Amino acid sequence: MTIVRGKFTPEVLITAPRRSAAVPSSDGSYALYTISTYSLALHSETKEIRVVELATGVTSLFTNDKDNRNPIWFSSTQILWLRQTDGSTTQIWIGTIGQVEKAAYVAGIIPALIDNVQIKELHDGIIAIAFTALSNPDGSLHNTALATKAWSSAREYDSVLVRFWDTYFTADHSSLWYTTLQKPQHCQQYTLSDNLLVNALKGTPLTCPVWPSDPFSGAGFDISTTGLLVTARDPEFNPAESTQTSLWYIPLRTFSEDPAPILRKVPVHDYNGDTTSVVFAPNGISAAFLKTKDGNDSSDWNRIFVIRDVTDAGSVFELPICSEITQERWDLSPNSITWASNSHSLYITADERGRCKLFRLMIILDNGSSTAYARQLSHDGVISSVYSLSASRSEPRLFINKSTFTESSIFALINPDTGSYSLISTATRMGQTLGLYATQVSEITFKGRGDYNVQAWIMKPSTFKPDKKYPLAFLIHGGPADSWRDAWSTRWNPAIFAEQGYVVVLPNPTGSTSFGRDFSSAVNGDWGGRPYHDLAACFAHLETHLSFIDTTRAVALGASFGGYMINWIAGQPLAKKFCTLVSHDGCFSMYNMLSSDIATPLPMDMGGTLWEDKAIWDRNDPAQHTQNWTQPMLFIHSDLDYRCPVTEGLAPFAVCQQRGIESRFLNFPDENHFVLKHENSLKWHRTVLGWINKHAGVEGGVVLEPPVSEPHRG
């Protein structure tokens, strides 16, 4: 029986259990995942580690101790996880499925806070273990409790980078460490080796992960029986001009080598961009990774590189991709790589038209060169991770995690030979427990500014009736190298707006990814041009083609680049079409964006440097058009947002106040570019929805409350 929770409100979004991606066991029998559930009544969160049986879809609780975190498979039936004890040390625990209460044990204690644990079985029961943790300037392990307290709080730098995302750089930095777990003679339990922990990056300027506080970059390394591959910022490049990341190989056989062997840089000539998704093949010898050509070009696309033998620096080659159907060069950018169990072929994910699809690469060798032909294996939703389960050619299986606009978490199996799809489990019965349905979602295409088409998603209320008119929520995505994808979100979830009574439109204008390389790169130097005109064309299309939308009751909202576009629209003719505009973490003055944590892409984004091409910067600057601002505006900006600093929200708020335009400023001192904390998220949703409902005349939804921090004026 399906139990429906009622109307999908911010409270339901915030308190609904959140399921992590699942990771299958080595034998493909089970998958491991976590669930976190927040209570607004108790102002607290519960956490569970759970296991699902892939053959039946039956789930079972492994542990519900909220202090247990970062679980990974230790064997096909055992799980390893971390537990922080006093804020400065980490326990490594190992337990068996179904026996965690009586059979779990501590395998070792590390005097530091560690993360991103990976393991690999070597020989004779020895397990290599690698993880990231802070390093002191001398390369020793950093322990927060033992660290010397500085008498001054000063920060001082002779070069960028100064800060990233929400954290300032310090002399202590994140590094990559390794050691082993061993089973003593006549003992059934593993323990940490007596050998000291080894800092794999000691004596180098490299850090791992590349960006420790970045929600997107991941662990930045992979482990095999032959050593470690690690991505890091390349010290050969001036960080004021480029934040290129490169790949290094650390040859290891016993994972007790001390000091660590000299790192070997993996050569990729003429490619000076970001290195991501590094992954060893199951044979431990080959590897693959993604790399862009220009790290300063936000619209650049990933290329696949393969290393035939990590011990041979000359065995690196780029793998061109063609469509299996058309035989033409592929126009998509891979997101991730998964090796097949035979170590000879690859599976990749790539965004296409607002979806993230799965592809199988059939690699063809011809006169010493290689070409991969991409065969599509999935069609809808957004696939977030892929695992190859079987080495048997007679029964190949891929385990996938994915989501959609109406379902937060899907576990499924795909047969790459036949394309057959087997659903294992969903978090919300395809949205039904939240009162959401896939039929609410559709898409349109319309003519852009030039001779090209633009796509947009549409989400209707679950109670939609075609003979009724609905107000419009016009949502603009960030980036600009991003897109609205058919994926679940706990931040900008279109269903939240739809269930307030809006028809939600999510356009993917010029600059959006997943619509070809030319389309995404056309935004460079033209932030306020083609994307804006595409959005205006979208609105005109809605006015003339979708009779169920009441465009006289339209509101527009955007975050990051979307917030920039809201600030830009405010000074353009399109602004008059909207009852109000909402800018979250948007750019206001392009000059001030030089204070962003990563300012190196700005010359490419703008079309030149400020000191050489100031006119181009002015042409794309929302602050140059404030004389035209008239519509009510809501600004949201947080103090820890170093991507678009908080002054970019305060300044346009001051403009509105001085011009007598109705406006409000919502600030979170403890959030970054994203509003993630549950209670803050509730406040964000109630203020945003209350504000747009007031101006669009929506009744029966969230009502705007008085500002919580307005000083007394008496």
Side-chain angles (χ1 to χ4, degrees):
M1 180 178 68
T2 299
I3 301 174
V4 179
R5 298 184 63 167
K7 185 176 180 179
F8 187 57
T9 64
E11 289 79 5
V12 172
L13 173 67
I14 292 165
T15 60
R18 298 183 182 181
R19 198 165 77 164
S20 73
V23 179
S25 58
S26 58
D27 65 355
S29 297
Y30 302 96
L32 171 68
Y33 64 100
T34 63
I35 288 182
S36 62
T37 307
Y38 190 80
S39 169
L40 289 169
L42 300 177
H43 307 290
S44 63
E45 187 177 38
T46 60
K47 295 183 179 180
E48 298 177 347
I49 299 175
R50 300 189 70 87
V51 174
V52 58
E53 188 176 1
L54 299 190
T56 64
V58 174
T59 67
S60 58
L61 177 68
F62 182 74
T63 174
N64 60 0
D65 189 326
K66 64 181 179 62
D67 294 325
N68 295 337
R69 62 183 185 87
N70 298 84
I72 62 172
W73 287 106
F74 188 71
S75 70
S76 59
T77 58
Q78 291 181 305
I79 295 171
L80 179 151
W81 69 94
L82 305 180
R83 185 181 177 93
Q84 294 180 1
T85 54
D86 58 3
S88 61
T89 60
T90 304
Q91 295 178 341
I92 298 176
W93 283 76
I94 298 174
T96 303
I97 296 174
Q99 304 177 38
V100 65
E101 296 297 333
K102 59 182 180 181
Y105 63 93
V106 178
I109 299 176
I110 296 176
L113 303 181
I114 74 172
D115 204 355
N116 300 310
V117 174
Q118 294 188 31
I119 62 171
K120 182 65 66 173
E121 184 175 358
L122 299 178
H123 55 81
D124 299 328
I126 297 176
I127 307 294
I129 180 170
F131 54 85
T132 58
L134 279 181
S135 167
N136 296 315
D138 64 359
S140 60
L141 192 65
H142 179 81
N143 181 288
T144 54
L146 301 178
T148 303
K149 181 177 176 60
W151 292 105
S152 170
S153 63
R155 302 185 184 111
E156 198 168 21
Y157 305 86
D158 281 334
S159 64
V160 296
L161 303 156
V162 170
R163 59 186 186 175
F164 184 85
W165 196 246
D166 59 8
T167 305
Y168 276 82
F169 288 100
T170 67
D172 304 320
H173 58 276
S174 186
S175 193
L176 178 60
W177 303 77
Y178 64 82
T179 186
T180 59
L181 289 162
Q182 300 184 18
K183 188 184 294 184
Q185 191 174 11
H186 308 302
C187 181
Q188 297 301 310
Q189 296 183 349
Y190 281 87
T191 62
L192 272 180
S193 169
D194 292 334
N195 298 321
L196 294 176
L197 299 173
V198 181
N199 184 347
L201 307 181
K202 185 176 181 178
T204 76
L206 307 183
T207 63
C208 181
V210 177
W211 311 107
S213 59
D214 186 5
F216 308 110
S217 63
F221 74 95
D222 198 26
I223 187 172
S224 84
T225 54
T226 60
L228 297 164
L229 283 168
V230 56
T231 59
R233 291 194 309 277
D234 197 322
E236 295 182 10
F237 291 80
N238 179 357
E241 299 174 350
S242 172
T243 56
Q244 168 174 337
T245 56
S246 295
L247 181 64
W248 283 265
Y249 170 56
I250 307 172
L252 297 167
R253 287 296 180 267
T254 66
F255 282 77
S256 60
E257 291 91 338
D258 186 14
I262 296 175
L263 281 71
R264 304 176 186 176
K265 187 174 180 179
V266 177
V268 186
H269 303 295
D270 300 323
Y271 281 81
N272 300 321
D274 294 326
T275 305
T276 56
S277 301
V278 56
V279 58
F280 274 106
N283 63 17
I285 297 295
S286 303
F289 59 95
L290 302 176
K291 193 169 183 67
T292 59
K293 197 172 187 66
D294 186 348
N296 290 336
D297 184 354
S298 302
S299 65
D300 198 5
W301 64 93
N302 286 317
R303 287 81 163 176
I304 297 178
F305 286 85
V306 174
I307 311 173
R308 287 194 180 94
D309 183 346
V310 291
T311 65
D312 179 4
S315 67
V316 183
F317 64 93
E318 182 181 354
L319 185 63
I321 306 176
C322 295
S323 167
E324 184 183 58
I325 297 175
T326 66
Q327 307 292 299
E328 295 178 351
R329 186 70 180 264
W330 223 38
D331 201 29
L332 305 180
S333 177
N335 294 334
S336 67
I337 303 172
T338 301
W339 281 93
S341 300
N342 60 14
S343 297
H344 294 307
S345 56
L346 299 172
Y347 302 101
I348 64 171
T349 60
D351 286 357
E352 183 176 31
R353 295 192 61 81
R355 303 157 175 87
C356 184
K357 299 179 180 180
L358 175 63
F359 298 85
R360 181 179 188 173
L361 296 187
M362 308 299 292
I363 301 175
I364 306 298
L365 299 177
D366 184 20
N367 296 325
S369 63
S370 299
T371 301
Y373 290 88
R375 175 186 298 174
Q376 183 174 316
L377 298 179
S378 71
H379 300 275
D380 62 343
V382 167
I383 293 179
S384 57
S385 56
V386 182
Y387 300 89
S388 182
L389 295 185
S390 175
S392 170
R393 291 187 177 182
S394 62
E395 190 188 357
R397 294 184 303 161
L398 300 175
F399 179 88
I400 65 167
N401 291 278
K402 78 170 187 176
S403 70
T404 69
F405 279 130
T406 54
E407 171 54 62
S408 62
S409 173
I410 298 170
F411 304 156
L413 294 172
I414 291 179
N415 183 317
D417 287 345
T418 65
S420 63
Y421 177 94
S422 302
L423 179 65
I424 297 172
S425 171
T426 66
T428 67
R429 296 182 182 271
M430 300 308 292
Q432 292 184 55
T433 59
L434 303 177
L436 303 177
Y437 306 91
T439 53
Q440 293 177 242
V441 180
S442 59
E443 59 184 313
I444 59 171
T445 57
F446 55 91
K447 195 176 187 319
R449 186 186 191 186
D451 187 21
Y452 57 89
N453 291 325
V454 180
Q455 184 258 13
W457 293 103
I458 294 179
M459 189 166 194
K460 302 169 186 174
S462 57
T463 57
F464 176 80
K465 296 179 180 178
D467 58 348
K468 182 180 176 182
K469 279 187 171 289
Y470 296 85
L472 168 66
F474 196 77
L475 273 56
I476 307 172
H477 68 67
D482 203 347
S483 62
W484 287 120
R485 305 189 302 168
D486 182 16
W488 188 259
S489 174
T490 56
R491 296 182 295 109
W492 286 85
N493 191 314
I496 282 291
F497 298 90
E499 296 309 282
Q500 290 288 303
Y502 295 88
V503 168
V504 186
V505 175
L506 306 105
N508 282 315
T510 294
S512 301
T513 55
S514 79
F515 297 90
R517 300 170 186 175
D518 292 342
F519 189 79
S520 60
S521 63
V523 71
N524 291 337
D526 200 25
W527 275 29
R530 265 186 60 166
Y532 167 77
H533 291 289
D534 288 348
L535 295 173
C538 180
F539 196 94
H541 179 89
L542 301 176
E543 286 181 308
T544 57
H545 290 80
L546 277 70
S547 60
F548 52 83
I549 295 179
D550 183 355
T551 53
T552 67
R553 300 167 63 204
V555 299
L557 310 89
S560 195
F561 173 77
Y564 160 89
M565 188 53 66
I566 290 293
N567 294 336
W568 178 263
I569 287 172
Q572 307 299 322
L574 183 59
K576 300 292 187 182
K577 300 285 188 178
F578 297 107
C579 302
T580 187
L581 303 168
V582 179
S583 175
H584 173 104
D585 292 349
C587 315
F588 169 67
S589 168
M590 298 314 300
Y591 300 174
N592 292 341
M593 285 305 295
L594 286 168
S595 63
S596 173
D597 58 346
I598 300 294
T600 51
L602 283 172
M604 179 68 74
D605 291 339
M606 291 295 99
T609 62
L610 175 62
W611 43 94
E612 294 175 339
D613 297 287
K614 181 175 177 293
I616 298 178
W617 286 57
D618 289 344
R619 189 179 70 202
N620 291 297
D621 190 348
Q624 304 295 320
H625 301 277
T626 53
Q627 71 276 9
N628 299 326
W629 287 22
T630 58
Q631 302 307 94
M633 296 189 71
L634 169 65
F635 302 96
I636 306 109
H637 230 107
S638 299
D639 289 359
L640 298 181
D641 184 358
Y642 301 157
R643 186 60 44 91
C644 295
V646 67
T647 51
E648 294 301 282
L650 287 166
F653 177 58
V655 168
C656 286
Q657 291 285 298
Q658 292 178 22
R659 287 181 56 82
I661 298 170
E662 183 182 0
S663 50
R664 180 176 287 194
F665 179 71
L666 175 62
N667 170 257
F668 298 99
D670 54 350
E671 300 281 9
N672 51 45
H673 204 52
F674 301 156
V675 176
L676 300 175
K677 297 180 179 179
H678 297 88
E679 305 283 352
N680 288 345
S681 176
L682 178 62
K683 179 58 183 174
W684 185 97
H685 280 92
R686 293 197 65 82
T687 295
V688 169
L689 294 176
W691 180 270
I692 63 174
N693 288 350
K694 170 189 172 182
H695 290 281
V698 172
E699 299 179 352
V702 175
V703 176
L704 184 66
E705 300 166 350
V708 295
S709 304
E710 187 74 11
H712 180 61
R713 304 296 186 186

